[in-house]
Structures are given as structure tokens and as C-alpha cells.
Amino acid sequence: MAVQGSSDILVDELYETTYRLRQFVEARLREKGASVARLRAMRMLASAPKPLRMRDLSEIAGIAARTATTIVDSLERDGLVERVRHPQDRRAFLVRLTDEGLRCHREAEEIDRLALAEATAALNADDRAQLRALLGRIRDHTA
Amino acid sequence: MAVQGSSDILVDELYETTYRLRQFVEARLREKGASVARLRAMRMLASAPKPLRMRDLSEIAGIAARTATTIVDSLERDGLVERVRHPQDRRAFLVRLTDEGLRCHREAEEIDRLALAEATAALNADDRAQLRALLGRIRDHTA
DNA sequence: CGCATATGCTGAGCATACGCACTATGTGCT
DNA sequence: AGCACATAGTGCGTATGCTCAGCATATGCG
């Protein structure tokens, strides 16, 4: 007797967990005008030694170039980053955090850190290592 | 010495794994004109004993009511589902799969099943149980 | 019955994410 | 120099997901 609507419960739970975790963090970041996507971009800009090209930002952040444009547009609209023409390559922009962007990033980073600590509070070091190993074995099969 | 750009590697890996898994499945479903979101809706319609109201569909599928409207719009445009006025409640619609929708669902379900089996091939029953337990402990903290 | 309130669905608008195609520019080869 | 080709960024279009507002309809209470 085949079960109808055969779905992979494990994968459903993976989706569900990630979704809820993301909503959990988004809700806290929203109060400060940030978001997971915006924080990710700001984090890359804050930790890079120099202003980044759009291209480099997108690659480091693990998002498509087109998505980086949208995110930087939104951050720029809010005065958190600046686009400056690349002095040597006139096709490119260099993106850097403004002072307000730096402040926003620090606040968002702290909120993120607390939220993730809260969400993963029930996992000790062994649990984390185990979870990472299991996730890694899925990633290896989704090339 | 605080590490700069302190991000939770574990959570990053969770995001990354889920993202890649989803892309992996989406890529295979796309060839048949399906997608994870569309399959989810079709699955709920196929396993329900009766046509569903938009509201019920959204709740069972775990998506917002407004999102259900968009998904059903797209499925209806492609002739995979039909909206029929609810005979007792004139505010509501009943949504049901068409014959083509049934065929599409069966194909998509099979593709999904194979893709998920492939992606989780490296995990045995114990691994799966362990992963589910770990994910559950994160979910419990993201209410 | 009539009115307040709740519910069902969707329009409008936003955020995140993608691909494709295009323009502008850089680069390398003859 | 001149042409072919590659690269950088973004306009346009799409998909998935949300909230809020609004309209139509149901329902419950006096």
C-alpha cells in the first residue's frame, strides 16, 4: 500500500526549521531596519579590508550579481552604503559602508548573534558538530 | 580578542544546505514545469479527500493565504487546477486538480522523491533520526 | 430584522532571489 | 590601431513569500 502524497518528512523538517529560524531572526532585525540579506551584505563590507566591487560582494556573500544590485540599492537608499566609481575600472563601482552603515551593522550583528544563540541554545558542542556533519553529507550530494 | 564579522557557522551551513537542496530539486522540477511551491500546493490538493478552500489549502500547505492565491493563480493559468465557487459559502472557492494537474502532480512527485532520495543518500535511518532530533531542538526555540 | 463583527479572498506593494539581455568598458591578439 | 571577446553592472521580467487594506459575504447577538 503506497502512501499517498509521499513527501520526505526529513527534508520538510529541514525546510521548516530553516524557515522558522530565518523568520525568528528577521523579526528581531526588522526593528532596527535590518534584515538577513542586508546584514549579510553589510557584514561582507565591514569585514573586507577595502571597499568591494559589486561583483566581489556578490561572490563573497554567495548571492547572484543581480541580487547584490538590489540589496545595495536598498542600503544606499537608506544611506547605509555608498557606491563610488572604481578609479581604474570605469565599469565597476566600489561599495563601502557609511558611518551610519557601520553603526547599523554593529547593531544588527549583535541582534543576529543573540538570536542565533537563543535559537541554538539547546545544542551543545557535540550536537553542533554532529549537525554540521549531517548537513555536510547532504550538501555533498546537491552539487 | 573578538572575531570580526562573527557569524554563526552552524546556521550558515543550515541556510546553505537548505538553499542548495532546494535549488537541486527546483532544477529537476523545472523541466516538467513544476516547482517546489507548485508541487506543495498540488500535493495538498491531491491528498485531500475533497476540493479545498483557498484558506484550507494555505493552512495545510503552511503558506500565507495571499501566497496561496498567487500559486493557485499560476496553476490555474497553466490549466492544472480549477477554482469553483463554494456552493454554501459565496465568499469561498473550492480548488481542485484538473486531469492535467493530476498527471503533472504524479510526475512532479516522482521527480521530487528521486531528487530527495539522491540528496539524502548518504544518510541512513539513524542519521535521519538524529538529524530530525537536532532540527527539532532548534525549532523548539524559534516559536 | 438589523447591525457589529468575523471570515474569505484578492489588489497593492514590498523584500529577496534568480536569469537573460543589454550597454559600457576593459583586454588581448593581429 | 582595430577587432573579437570578456567582464561589470543593471533594466526587465519572473517566482516565492509576506503584510495590510478593502470588498463581499457570513454569522451571531440584541
Side-chain angles (χ1 to χ4, degrees):
Chain A
M1 291 282 279
V3 176
Q4 213 188 359
S6 67
S7 60
D8 189 317
I9 304 295
L10 174 63
V11 171
D12 284 347
E13 292 192 14
L14 184 57
Y15 284 169
E16 168 81 2
T17 304
T18 303
Y19 178 74
R20 285 176 58 168
L21 181 54
R22 183 153 181 152
Q23 292 306 109
F24 184 75
V25 180
E26 293 279 15
R28 282 157 181 71
L29 287 175
R30 195 156 30 226
E31 293 163 31
K32 292 289 181 184
S35 71
V36 171
R38 286 159 70 103
L39 171 56
R40 183 166 54 223
M42 289 192 288
R43 177 180 292 154
M44 300 310 146
L45 293 171
S47 43
K50 292 180 176 185
L52 293 172
R53 289 165 171 246
M54 297 294 299
R55 183 82 220 168
D56 295 335
L57 173 58
S58 73
E59 281 177 7
I60 296 174
I63 56 182
R66 188 61 188 78
T67 305
T69 294
T70 303
I71 299 294
V72 169
D73 281 350
S74 115
L75 292 172
E76 195 172 35
R77 175 169 43 76
D78 293 350
L80 303 178
V81 306
E82 281 176 346
R83 274 185 179 91
V84 179
R85 279 286 173 193
H86 192 293
Q88 273 80 51
D89 187 341
R90 287 193 297 166
R91 295 168 304 179
F93 289 105
L94 293 176
V95 187
R96 68 172 199 81
L97 286 171
T98 61
D99 290 346
E100 197 187 336
L102 270 171
R103 276 194 299 277
C104 180
H105 169 245
R106 275 194 293 266
E107 285 186 8
E109 200 70 75
E110 182 63 8
I111 291 169
D112 183 65
R113 200 180 61 73
L114 289 173
L116 297 189
E118 191 181 341
T120 61
L123 306 181
N124 63 30
D126 279 352
D127 295 333
R128 285 159 195 268
Q130 220 166 59
L131 180 51
R132 289 177 62 175
L134 291 166
L135 292 174
R137 281 200 267 156
I138 293 178
R139 270 207 308 287
D140 291 344
H141 288 257
T142 53
Chain B
M1 294 278 279
V3 176
Q4 213 190 359
S6 67
S7 59
D8 190 316
I9 303 296
L10 175 64
V11 171
D12 284 348
E13 290 191 14
L14 184 57
Y15 283 169
E16 168 80 2
T17 303
T18 304
Y19 178 75
R20 284 177 60 167
L21 181 54
R22 183 154 182 152
Q23 292 305 111
F24 185 74
V25 179
E26 293 279 14
R28 281 158 180 72
L29 287 175
R30 195 156 28 226
E31 294 162 30
K32 292 289 179 185
S35 70
V36 171
R38 286 159 69 102
L39 171 55
R40 183 166 52 221
M42 288 191 289
R43 177 179 294 153
M44 299 311 147
L45 294 171
S47 42
K50 293 181 175 185
L52 293 172
R53 288 166 172 245
M54 296 294 298
R55 183 80 220 172
D56 295 335
L57 173 57
S58 73
E59 278 177 8
I60 296 174
I63 57 182
R66 188 61 187 78
T67 304
T69 295
T70 303
I71 299 294
V72 169
D73 281 349
S74 115
L75 291 172
E76 195 171 37
R77 175 168 43 76
D78 293 350
L80 302 177
V81 305
E82 280 176 347
R83 273 184 179 92
V84 180
R85 279 286 174 193
H86 191 294
Q88 273 80 51
D89 187 341
R90 287 193 298 165
R91 295 168 303 177
F93 289 104
L94 292 177
V95 187
R96 68 170 199 82
L97 286 170
T98 61
D99 290 347
E100 198 187 337
L102 269 171
R103 276 195 299 278
C104 181
H105 169 245
R106 276 194 293 267
E107 285 187 8
E109 201 69 77
E110 182 64 9
I111 292 169
D112 183 65
R113 202 181 59 73
L114 290 173
L116 296 189
E118 192 181 341
T120 61
L123 306 182
N124 63 31
D126 280 352
D127 296 332
R128 285 159 196 266
Q130 218 165 61
L131 180 51
R132 288 177 63 175
L134 291 166
L135 292 174
R137 280 200 267 157
I138 293 178
R139 270 205 310 286
D140 291 344
H141 288 256
T142 53

